[in-house]
Amino acid sequence: MTADEKLRLDKWLWFARFYKTRSLAAAQVAGGAVRINGTPTQKRASTVGPGDVLTFAQGDHVRVIQIDAIGQRRGPAPEAQALYTDLSPPEAKPKNIAPENPGYEGKGRPTKRDRRQLDLSKARHLE
């Protein structure tokens, strides 16, 4: 495809691997969650081309994407990442979130050392 050619918005979002299926991409566009160059759109068949800027929510943050190429197919991830430039700021990491596997504090699985101490304290209590 040449630079002046355009592609349907839902198809491009699927090509660039922002959505797992084309119908998911179409549903997001129809819900008004995507902006083309700052203008909200609800038409799945809106055409986009190189130079357009897309703004949409993905997960818990907003993505700002500049389209660099249209693409021929939905290929592997490196090929899909070559279709756009990510203009969104880096995702900030939350500071006050507990680790997924906390140490044994009466919750979770105790370590072997903690288990031995529990067994000893139970044995002493029963004497």
Side-chain angles (χ1 to χ4, degrees):
M1 292 186 174
T2 60
D4 61 336
E5 291 191 32
K6 295 194 175 258
L7 187 67
R8 285 177 57 115
L9 176 59
D10 61 341
K11 198 170 186 179
W12 188 87
L13 288 169
W14 178 62
F15 276 4
R17 294 184 163 265
F18 287 109
Y19 296 100
K20 193 170 185 176
T21 63
R22 186 170 167 191
S23 59
L24 285 174
Q28 288 294 318
V29 174
V34 181
R35 293 174 180 242
I36 302 173
N37 296 325
T39 306
T41 184
Q42 292 184 340
K43 293 184 177 181
R44 300 172 182 133
S46 299
T47 56
V48 293
D52 288 338
V53 176
L54 303 179
T55 307
F56 56 95
Q58 188 174 40
D60 58 347
H61 72 287
V62 176
R63 302 286 304 258
V64 180
I65 304 298
Q66 180 180 359
I67 299 175
D68 294 334
I70 294 296
Q72 297 287 334
R73 65 186 180 114
R74 184 174 198 263
E79 186 177 314
Q81 290 169 353
L83 297 177
Y84 62 89
T85 303
D86 194 354
L87 303 175
S88 53
E91 193 175 337
K93 294 183 180 180
K95 295 181 181 178
N96 296 331
I97 292 186
E100 292 206 14
N101 295 326
Y104 183 69
E105 297 170 358
K107 56 186 174 187
R109 185 174 177 169
T111 63
K112 191 170 186 177
R113 180 174 178 255
D114 293 334
R115 184 69 190 164
R116 286 182 186 145
Q117 289 175 349
L118 285 171
D119 288 342
L120 285 174
S121 66
K122 285 181 185 177
R124 288 184 191 138
H125 180 69
L126 294 175
E127 289 178 349

